[in-house]
Amino acid sequence: MKWRYGLALAGAVIILPLAALAAGNTERAAILADYAAKARAADPGFAGFSAQRGAALFRGSFTGGDARTPSCVSCHTADPRQPGRNAKTGRPIDPVAVSVDPRRYTDATQVDKHFTRDCKSVLGRDCTWPERGDYITFMMGQ
Ligand code: HEC
């Protein structure tokens, strides 16, 4: 069993840098680096992004925003690999998982605009830098 673990680990070490060269990953990494720098500036104790926290933000139910959208999944659906539907306008939304669309989270202006708008709709406030990074980190594994 042990060698399998070693093999998987070696695989991850080799595959991750290769995957980083895939389309869109340079731009996404730059956005994440920017958010990390801002998170660290706001809180010197900032210890990195978490996919788990990102999942909790994505799936969580909140009050304070628009009653039609208590959650990110209200529009993006519980499975980010599936198409969503805008709970306000009824318009379809393309899947937001990076595995389905490698161009997701690569245009900083678009990403910033949607975080501000969508977080206000769900939480009644903008998302923090750690929340933004957590969310993108979660979507990179989806
Ligand atoms: C009212 C519906 C709605 C809700 C609720 C919603 N979104 Fe969105 N979101 C959209 C639409 C519409 C787009 C733009 C269409 C697209 O990118 O395909 C979008 C796009 C985004 C993008 C940009 C994606 C990219 O590739 O640039 C981010 C980031 C995002 N949403 C984050 C969130 C987060 C975080 C939440 C929950 C706090 C959330 N959204 C909740 C409708 C919504």
Side-chain angles (χ1 to χ4, degrees):
M1 253 355 238
K2 239 181 186 166
W3 65 272
R4 279 183 189 222
Y5 179 69
L7 210 64
L9 207 65
V13 168
I14 295 163
I15 290 162
L16 285 178
L18 285 180
L21 298 174
N25 280 16
T26 316
E27 293 99 321
R28 197 179 308 103
I31 292 173
L32 278 179
D34 177 46
Y35 288 175
K38 286 168 172 160
R40 210 168 294 116
D43 172 15
F46 169 72
F49 298 126
S50 145
Q52 214 180 337
R53 283 196 308 261
L57 171 65
F58 182 69
R59 302 222 160 89
S61 196
F62 303 90
T63 53
D66 188 310
R68 291 171 294 179
T69 56
S71 172
C72 304
V73 309
S74 307
C75 293
H76 292 301
T77 78
D79 181 354
R81 296 184 192 90
Q82 297 296 319
R85 182 168 295 278
N86 193 316
K88 293 177 180 171
T89 65
R91 272 192 225 119
I93 303 175
D94 288 335
V96 287
V98 171
S99 67
V100 179
D101 183 355
R103 297 305 306 171
R104 282 293 180 194
Y105 319 108
T106 57
D107 179 334
T109 311
Q110 270 303 101
V111 174
D112 274 332
K113 182 181 116 188
H114 282 292
F115 269 126
T116 299
R117 196 199 61 185
D118 296 350
C119 290
K120 277 197 183 125
S121 182
V122 172
L123 306 165
R125 60 165 175 83
D126 203 341
C127 279
T128 63
W129 303 117
E131 282 171 338
R132 291 171 180 226
D134 290 346
Y135 179 91
I136 294 179
T137 303
F138 167 61
M139 287 304 173
M140 286 164 68
Q142 295 299 300

